[in-house]
């Protein structure tokens, strides 16, 4: 039997055990017998009756006795009908009917259950819904099956609404079966009462131990169970502040126990709670009521044998010195591995010992509570009850989740003052006011909104006023007022009557929402049942004889680690630092891939990505390299450097583990989601073999893939399982007899390198190097970071070409939380994007008009809609993003970047979304209102639906959807051109002076006085080929009647020549900074003297970055510098720039044709920074830096690409990010690899490598082949220091840190 089968079998056994212990029935016994029909009239009680023929005893289903059912004297929400079933019974269903032959019936009601006729508990469906739908006429029967059976003796039905044309009328029936139980009471006294079960030695070693029990208590603390074993190891279940804690204790010391789990809340409510603990080896499943936690135990519990189980107290023994508060309450159906321990104790079995005051029944104290649900709740009592001779004494207990609310108020006699006792910021405050001013203020306690019972006492005696909270555990405040504090007429608890009813009570604070009990006035407990019967005081909107508090944060509905807080009516999730947002912290704030960030307009940097969106996998921090055509996600590990292996004589193998910066589930999901992944693996060797031969045992291997990895017997660049290296696959190994270079076993340094590209084998986890012990063996290895590109989910799309077409998928399961996101584009004005139906529930998203998207659903509370209206048409065939979320608090809909629209869910409504049909995409089951257009990247709860695969087999739907430039083309900046692809788009920067993925990265260079960049428009040899022709006929295409010139510069040089354009007709254009630090534009367009256009903008040689734009149309010239006003000039020439020859940046070497002033300036050259130089459609600086071999440029002197043209470089404290040569690891000396060179200066390495290669090529012909194979690695490291970034053939070989290859400034984003 495999592990999965065993687990399923264990679950089945546990469920069976739970059922048998809770119901007392066996097998599949039906539990639906009628329980009310045979009861005598004495089993029925009610709040009132209209007449003797309307008595509660006539309220039996389908009976016509009396007036045909029960009707109260007054039809209001304070009426109730109660049924005594005679004993505790399992109740599974309730049915109602109106009063026979009348117009009296209920339309909604509440159900209450009790064991004693007091301390009622409201039955709630889905832990939230309190009301049940009733009838629509007097005769039909409406039955409701309870989602969880109720165990109770008494049932109380409270009408909420009834036929508005009639009154309250009711006949009812309940269904169920008998309930078998054994109970025991433990008094929790000083010595403690308990049951101890001593396990026999043969029972101690069991593979599975299950303890089941039920308990009820009024105490918020106490030891419920203590399991003790060998070596002082023990596990305990203890109540602490109404929660059940699983505690571990090691040894016999009195040190604090370790809390393994906390489950449940408000368990001190004197209602039965079901507990199951199941231990299997080193883990425990703890269940409290309907919620379960799985807990991993420490390793020492793997072979732990339980010796004794104690319930109710921890008995001191020789092995344990643990002493905890004892449990005071009742236990029921106490089972250990199906052994009934209470039965054994009753029969005086020697294995079970009863100690202290133990009784085999459940004696329950009566503590009548009252609930103030608000907002019109109040309780009014006569003041004489609290006033004694010369003083005042009031005490009560309360519990609430609210920070504020009025607890008690009363007027002072004769003084005209008023006393307010209230909560503010969860502290107790007392104020005495008179004539609008405070006579006295006191405060005590803190954090009184924790849901626990708190004891409040207020006493006034002999001119001393004392307010106390929680006695010695809390705090108190005292005052000595100069006036007596007594009550004039009435006390008001929780709030005040409506203003038109009474002027005795004023409440400037919030009303109290919570519970009170044990109200004591002058030492006498108030009988709240008398109040309920309206024989004492007055009240409104109260629930008497019950505490209706609900813990909405247990279990927490906040996902992904969000912190839950609550008030009486709702809860709130604090999602700070969780990486998620929304009412329940459900939706991720991060994108799911680097590809998604790129198409949000971001550039290279560190990002958090959440590969499964709202799923359980946490966000991970990765580096996104967006400098290439593909967007690379880079996942680092602990050693990406080239690392030398130091042989140790006693070690046969060298084992290396690689720890990745992301967790296992993040790695697996990221690889699965990507279209392509790769990881560089290289081995540099001298006399150190690698894989041997395919027939022999490999010396080296590695582990890769999910988990700890699978054994891999191939090297980078080869196929899995081939036991080859890249050279073996290509047939160019140094020794044809072997399939790896290193297997040639030579004394010279060589290497085997390549990329691992098979996703099933990635990432590389461990590396085992074997041939390192022999004399002369030397080796070094490098495992690069994991690099992945492409997002299979982001571009997954389908095109729906007609309204009747759709895709269908399995039912969407989003019972508590559902998030749906997708992109669409269409030319239609309406259509359904998505629909899933249930019996009554449904969920739908549709385009209702050309400007509106609607998200509609029903979870049982009636249909709800959330709408977002767009100011622009949505049917313009552009991509729009829709994000919808529905949780138990609210529904939200977001369209593009518009504000989200939200719709709150009912506070006590249904919240489970129950669907059962197929999920329809692009249409509906009725084939009406279908969607025509494209849907892309559809995700439900973080899971992407594969639209393309389903579309391939569906008529009327096509996989994929072209046409992305209409939506994303604006991302291509600076004259970049958007180019369509099947999956996405690409920005062509050929006509832009910029580079980068969006043509947004400035191309800049640092110039020195000797630097010159000359761009030739037409080669001179064309003149020789056609010497009889006039030059103008040859260069007519280079005759200009206007120019657009733009550039940025940074310099301290003045004067300085920035740009010079010459022609074959001795005409020219010069752009310079004069000696006054102003810009001059000089045009010489005919035989006349040059015309000088001077700008008024000053201080251009101040070392700051300045941008210049010059536009000429015939004789009109405009100049724009930075953000200054545009300056306009007019030329006197005819406006033709004839036969342009070349454009020069920096020093002009051919200056014979220039006037002396310009020639002198041209000879000085330019020192500073030039950036994004653009002349009409030509980008000469970009051509020189990025495409020097394919462009008509001549570079003289040092030219270094730099980020000096970036505005960020204006910060003098910013480090210059200069791109000389890409970081590389090469060979030094006799081919020995550079080890641990990841952060060395790349320019220096490049220079050393270039010299070494020159020496080797000229002196050692035998290494020619070796060097030829590395030619591409080094050819970019030329003297100019220019990195060919835009070239598709740009080498990535031996890059030691992919995060630093980007030509952009790496940035860190926290989205």
């Amino acid at each position: 039997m495999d592990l999965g089968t065993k687990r399923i079998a264990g679950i089945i056994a546990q469920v069976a055990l739970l059922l048998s212990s809770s119901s007392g029935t066996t097998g599949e016994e039906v539990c639906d017998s009628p329980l009310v029909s045979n009861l005598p009239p004495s089993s029925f009680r009610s709040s009132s009756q209209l007449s003797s023929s309307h008595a509660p005893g006539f309220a039996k289903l389908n009976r016509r006795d009396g007036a045909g059912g029960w009707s109260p004297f007054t039809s209001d929400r304070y009426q109730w009908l109660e049924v005594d079933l005679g004993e505790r019974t399992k109740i599974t269903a309730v049915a109602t009917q109106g009063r026979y032959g009348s117009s009296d019936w209920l339309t909604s009601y509440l159900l209450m259950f009790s064991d004693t006729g007091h301390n009622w508990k409201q039955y709630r469906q889905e832990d939230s819904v309190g009301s049940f739908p009733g009838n629509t006429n007097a005769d039909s029967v409406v039955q409701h099956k309870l989602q969880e059976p109720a165990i109770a003796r008494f049932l109380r039905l409270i009408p909420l609404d009834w036929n508005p044309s009639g009154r309250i009328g009711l006949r009812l029936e309940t269904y169920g079966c008998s309930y078998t139980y054994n109970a025991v009471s433990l008094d929790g006294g000083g010595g403690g009462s308990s049951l101890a079960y001593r396990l026999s030695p043969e029972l101690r070693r069991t593979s599975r131990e299950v303890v089941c029990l039920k308990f009820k208590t009024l105490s918020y603390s106490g030891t419920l169970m203590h399991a003790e074993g060998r070596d002082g190891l023990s596990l305990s279940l203890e109540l602490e502040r109404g929660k059940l804690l699983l505690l571990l204790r090691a040894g016999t010391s009195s040190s604090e126990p370790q809390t393994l789990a906390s489950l449940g809340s408000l368990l001190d409510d004197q209602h039965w709670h079901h507990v199951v603990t199941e231990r299997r080896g080193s883990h425990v499943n703890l269940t409290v009521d309907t919620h379960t936690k799985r807990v991993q135990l420490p390793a020492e519990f793997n072979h732990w044998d339980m010796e004794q189980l104690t319930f109710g107290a921890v008995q001191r023994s020789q092995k344990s010195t643990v002493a905890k508060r004892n449990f005071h309450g009742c236990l029921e159906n106490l089972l250990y591995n199906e052994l009934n321990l209470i039965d054994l104790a009753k029969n005086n079995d020697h294995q079970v010992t009863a100690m202290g005051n133990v009784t085999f029944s459940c004696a329950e104290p009566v503590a009548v509570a009252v609930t103030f649900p608000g907002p019109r709740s109040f309780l009014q009592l006569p003041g004489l009850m609290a006033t004694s001779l010369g003083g005042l004494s009031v005490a009560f207990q309360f519990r609430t989740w609210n920070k504020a609310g009025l607890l008690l108020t009363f007027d002072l006699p004769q003084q005209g003052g008023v006393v307010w006792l209230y909560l503010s910021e969860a502290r107790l405050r007392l104020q005495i006011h008179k004539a609008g001013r405070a006579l006295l203020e006191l405060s005590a306690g803190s954090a009184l909104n924790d849901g626990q019972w708190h004891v409040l006492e207020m006493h006034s005696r002999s001119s001393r006023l004392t307010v106390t909270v929680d006695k010695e555990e809390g705090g108190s405040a005292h005052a000595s007022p100069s006036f007596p504090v007594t009550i004039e007429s009435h006390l008001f608890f929780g709030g005040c009557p409506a203003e038109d009813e009474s002027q005795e009570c004023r409440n400037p604070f919030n009303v109290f929402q919570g519970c009170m009990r044990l109200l004591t006035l002058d030492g006498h407990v108030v009988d709240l049942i008398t109040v309920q019967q309206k024989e004492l005081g007055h009240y409104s909107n109260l629930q008497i004889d019950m505490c209706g508090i609900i813990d909405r944060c247990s279990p927490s509905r906040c996902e992904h680690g969000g912190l839950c807080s609550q008030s009486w009516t709702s809860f709130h999730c604090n999602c700070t630092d969780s990486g998620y947002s929304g009412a329940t912290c459900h939706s991720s704030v991060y994108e799911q891939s680097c590809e998604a960030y790129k198409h949000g307009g971001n550039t290279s940097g560190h990002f958090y990505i959440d590969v499964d969106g709202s799923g359980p996998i946490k966000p991970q921090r990765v580096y996104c390299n967006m400098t290439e055509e593909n967007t690379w996600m880079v996942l680092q590990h602990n050693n990406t450097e080239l690392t030398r292996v130091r042989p140790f004589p006693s070690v046969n193998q060298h084992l290396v583990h690689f720890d990745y910066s992301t967790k296992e589930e993040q790695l697996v999901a990221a690889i699965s989601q990507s279209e392509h992944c790769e990881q560089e693996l290289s081995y540099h060797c001298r006399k150190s073999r690698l894989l041997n031969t395919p027939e022999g045992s490999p010396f080296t291997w590695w582990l890769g893939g999910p988990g700890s990895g699978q054994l891999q017997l191939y090297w980078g660049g080869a196929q899995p399982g081939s036991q080859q290296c890249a050279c073996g696959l290509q047939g160019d190994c140094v020794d044809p007899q072997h399939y790896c270079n290193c297997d040639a076993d030579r004394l010279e340094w060589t290497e085997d390198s390549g990329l691992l590209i098979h996703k099933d084998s990635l990432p590389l986890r461990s590396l085992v190097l074997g041939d390192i012990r022999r004399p002369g063996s030397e080796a070094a290895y490098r495992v690069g970071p994991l690099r992945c590109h492409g997002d299979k989910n982001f571009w997954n799309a389908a095109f729906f070409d007609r309204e009747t077409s759709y895709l269908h998928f399995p039912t969407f399961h989003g019972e508590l939380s559902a998030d749906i996101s997708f992109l669409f584009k269409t030319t239609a004005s309406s259509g359904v994007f998505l629909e899933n139906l249930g019996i009554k529930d449904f969920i739908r998203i549709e385009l209702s008009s050309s400007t509106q998207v609607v998200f509609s659903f029903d979870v049982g509370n009636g249909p709800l809609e959330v709408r977002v209206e767009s100011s622009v048409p949505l049917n313009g065939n552009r991509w729009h993003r829709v994000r919808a979320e529905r949780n138990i608090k609210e529904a939200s809909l977001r369209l593009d970047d518009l504000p989200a629209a939200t719709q709150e869910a009912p506070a006590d409504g249904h919240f489970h979304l129950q669907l059962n049909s197929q999920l329809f995409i692009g249409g509906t089951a009725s084939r009406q209102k279908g969607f025509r257009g494209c849907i892309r990247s559809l995700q439900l709860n973080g899971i992407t639906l594969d639209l393309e695969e389903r579309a391939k087999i569906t008529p009327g739907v096509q996989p994929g959807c072209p046409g992305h430039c209409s939506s994303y083309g604006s991302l291509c900046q600076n004259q970049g051109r958007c180019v369509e692809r099947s999956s996405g788009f690409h920005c062509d920067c050929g006509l832009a002076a910029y580079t980068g993925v969006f043509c947004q990265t400035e191309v800049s260079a640092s110039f020195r006085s000797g630097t010159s960049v000359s761009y030739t428009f037409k080669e001179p040899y064309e003149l020789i080929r056609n010497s009889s022709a006039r030059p103008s006929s040859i260069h007519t295409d280079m005759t200009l009647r206007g120019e657009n010139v733009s550039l940025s510069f940074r310099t301290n040089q003045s004067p300085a020549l920035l740009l010079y354009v010459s022609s074959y007709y001795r005409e020219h254009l010069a752009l310079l900074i004069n000696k006054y630090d102003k810009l001059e534009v000089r045009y010489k367009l005919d035989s006349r003297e040059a015309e000088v256009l001077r700008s008024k903008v000053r201080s251009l040689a101040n070392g700051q970055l300045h941008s210049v734009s010059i536009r000429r149309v015939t004789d009109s010239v405009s100049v724009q510098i930075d953000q200054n006003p545009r300056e306009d000039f007019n030329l006197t020439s005819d406006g033709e720039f004839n036969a342009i020859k070349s454009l020069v940046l920096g020093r002009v070497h051919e200056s014979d044709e220039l006037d002396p002033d310009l020639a002198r300036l041209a000879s000085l050259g330019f020192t500073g920074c030039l950036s994004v130089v653009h002349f009409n459609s030509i980008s000469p600086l970009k051509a020189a830096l990025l495409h020097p071999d394919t462009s008509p440029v001549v570079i003289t002197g040092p030219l270094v690409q730099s980020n000096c043209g970036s505005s960020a470089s204006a910060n003098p404290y910013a480090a210059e990010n200069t791109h000389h040569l890409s970081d590389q690891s090469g060979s030094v000396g006799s081919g020995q690899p550079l080890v641990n060179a990841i952060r060395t200066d790349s320019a220096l390495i490049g220079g050393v490598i270039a010299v070494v290669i020159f020496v080797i090529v000229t002196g050692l012909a035998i290494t020619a082949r070796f060097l030829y194979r590395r030619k591409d690695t080094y050819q970019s490291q030329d003297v100019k220091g220019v990195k060919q970034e835009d070239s598709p053939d740009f080498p990535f070989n031996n890059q030691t840190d992919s995060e630093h290859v980007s030509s952009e400034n790496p940035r860190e984003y926290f989205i």
Side-chain angles (χ1 to χ4, degrees), residues 1078-1128:
K1078 295 182 179 181
L1079 184 74
E1080 285 187 9
V1081 182
R1082 298 189 182 185
Y1083 270 105
K1084 187 177 185 303
L1085 299 184
D1086 51 27
S1087 58
R1088 306 177 198 177
E1089 293 296 320
E1091 299 184 61
V1092 180
L1093 313 179
R1094 293 187 176 90
S1095 171
K1096 298 179 181 179
V1097 179
R1098 298 174 178 271
S1099 303
L1100 297 182
N1102 60 357
Q1104 300 298 313
L1105 185 67
H1106 298 284
S1107 298
V1108 177
S1109 177
I1110 301 170
R1111 178 180 174 84
R1112 179 181 75 89
V1113 179
T1114 62
D1115 61 347
S1116 298
V1117 181
S1118 64
V1119 178
Q1120 174 88 45
I1121 301 177
D1122 298 331
Q1123 301 300 318
N1124 295 291
R1126 190 183 70 183
E1127 300 173 274
D1128 296 316

Side-chain angles (χ1 to χ4, degrees), residues 175-191:
Y175 301 92
C177 54
S178 61
Y179 175 73
T180 304
Y181 62 94
N182 299 97
V184 62
S185 290
L186 307 175
D187 68 359

Side-chain angles (χ1 to χ4, degrees), residues 50-323:
L50 183 60
S51 69
S52 59
S53 61
H54 295 81
F58 296 119
K60 295 182 180 181
L61 200 70
N62 294 322
R63 301 284 281 270
R64 304 180 183 182
D65 304 341
W70 167 72
S71 285
F73 184 79
T74 304
S75 290
D76 58 32
R77 292 192 170 189
Y78 299 107
Q79 308 303 319
W80 47 265
L81 175 70
E82 181 181 311
V83 180
D84 180 0
L85 299 176
E87 60 182 356
R88 291 179 65 207
T89 306
K90 182 178 181 181
I91 304 168
T92 60
V94 176
T96 60
Q97 197 176 27
R99 192 168 62 82
Y100 174 73
S102 73
S103 57
D104 305 337
W105 62 82
L106 303 182
T107 57
S108 67
Y109 59 91
L110 301 179
L111 275 181
M112 305 283 184
F113 294 103
S114 171
D115 283 352
T116 61
H118 292 290
N119 189 32
W120 295 90
K121 182 175 184 179
Q122 182 179 341
Y123 185 89
R124 292 181 177 272
Q125 304 174 84
E126 303 178 9
D127 293 332
S128 174
V129 184
S131 63
F132 287 82
N135 301 87
T136 57
N137 55 54
D139 297 321
S140 62
V141 176
V142 176
Q143 179 173 320
H144 292 286
K145 184 175 182 179
L146 304 184
Q147 292 179 345
E148 293 290 334
I151 310 296
R153 174 179 172 179
F154 294 90
L155 175 149
R156 182 176 283 187
L157 188 148
I158 301 176
L160 291 180
D161 297 291
W162 48 90
N163 179 22
S165 300
R167 59 190 303 123
I168 294 175
L170 177 64
R171 289 176 286 175
L172 88 161
E173 180 62 271
T174 63
Y175 301 92
C177 54
S178 61
Y179 175 73
T180 304
Y181 62 94
N182 299 97
V184 62
S185 290
L186 307 175
D187 68 359
S193 57
S194 63
L195 290 179
Y197 173 59
R198 188 75 180 175
L199 276 74
S200 58
E202 61 271 12
L203 293 179
R204 292 178 185 176
R205 289 194 172 273
T206 59
S207 60
R208 176 174 173 267
E209 293 172 314
V210 180
V211 178
C212 301
L213 61 88
K214 282 188 172 184
F215 75 91
K216 69 187 321 183
T217 182
L218 280 174
S219 299
Y220 76 151
S221 64
T223 299
L224 192 62
M225 182 183 78
H226 181 73
E228 193 169 331
R230 295 180 307 171
D231 304 323
L233 290 176
S234 65
L235 293 173
S236 297
L237 283 179
E238 298 181 9
L239 279 174
E240 185 66 42
R241 297 178 62 81
K243 297 179 181 290
L244 193 62
L245 306 182
L246 177 61
L247 303 178
L248 179 150
R249 289 182 174 85
T252 59
S253 67
S254 58
S255 60
E256 285 297 314
Q258 177 185 351
T259 301
L260 300 179
S262 174
L263 203 57
S265 179
L266 308 175
L267 301 179
D268 57 343
D269 57 1
Q270 192 62 9
H271 293 294
W272 288 107
H273 296 282
H274 189 200
V275 178
V276 179
T277 61
E278 178 192 18
R279 185 175 80 93
R280 285 180 175 271
S282 61
H283 78 264
V284 170
N285 289 332
L286 173 63
T287 300
V288 177
D289 295 330
T290 60
H291 305 293
T292 301
K293 273 189 178 180
R294 179 184 173 92
V295 182
Q296 185 68 37
L297 297 176
E300 53 264 36
F301 277 85
N302 288 339
H303 305 288
W304 181 69
D305 293 334
M306 191 172 7
E307 297 177 346
Q308 179 168 302
L309 271 172
T310 306
F311 300 91
V314 178
Q315 300 302 320
R316 300 193 179 192
S317 65
Q318 296 179 351
K319 294 186 177 182
S320 175
T321 60
V322 178

Side-chain angles (χ1 to χ4, degrees), residues 14 129 223 339 464 531-532 722 937 1006 1059 1109 1119 1231 1292 1308:
Q14 181 182 354
V129 184
T223 299
L339 192 65
R464 181 171 177 82
V531 174
Q532 184 183 36
S722 63
S937 189
S1006 297
L1059 175 146
S1109 177
V1119 178
F1292 249 70
E1308 186 162 341

Side-chain angles (χ1 to χ4, degrees), residues 1011-1120:
T1011 304
S1012 173
V1013 175
S1014 176
Y1015 185 97
T1016 303
F1017 291 95
K1018 284 291 183 179
E1019 293 294 341
Y1021 73 89
E1022 293 192 9
L1023 289 174
I1024 301 173
R1025 289 172 49 191
N1026 195 3
S1027 59
S1028 62
R1030 290 176 54 84
S1032 60
S1033 67
I1034 300 173
H1035 297 285
T1036 54
D1037 58 332
M1038 300 310 295
T1039 298
L1040 307 178
R1041 296 191 61 81
E1043 301 87 38
N1044 281 315
V1045 183
S1046 62
L1047 58 83
S1048 297
F1049 67 90
R1050 186 198 305 273
T1051 187
N1052 292 307
Q1053 179 182 344
S1054 173
L1057 180 63
L1058 300 176
L1059 175 146
Y1060 175 73
V1061 183
S1062 63
S1063 84
Y1064 290 102
Y1065 281 168
R1066 302 172 66 88
E1067 298 173 350
H1068 67 256
L1069 162 64
L1071 181 63
L1072 57 93
I1073 301 173
N1074 63 23
K1075 62 182 179 180
Y1076 303 109
D1077 288 2
K1078 295 182 179 181
L1079 184 74
E1080 285 187 9
V1081 182
R1082 298 189 182 185
Y1083 270 105
K1084 187 177 185 303
L1085 299 184
D1086 51 27
S1087 58
R1088 306 177 198 177
E1089 293 296 320
E1091 299 184 61
V1092 180
L1093 313 179
R1094 293 187 176 90
S1095 171
K1096 298 179 181 179
V1097 179
R1098 298 174 178 271
S1099 303
L1100 297 182
N1102 60 357
Q1104 300 298 313
L1105 185 67
H1106 298 284
S1107 298
V1108 177
S1109 177
I1110 301 170
R1111 178 180 174 84
R1112 179 181 75 89
V1113 179
T1114 62
D1115 61 347
S1116 298
V1117 181
S1118 64
V1119 178
Q1120 174 88 45

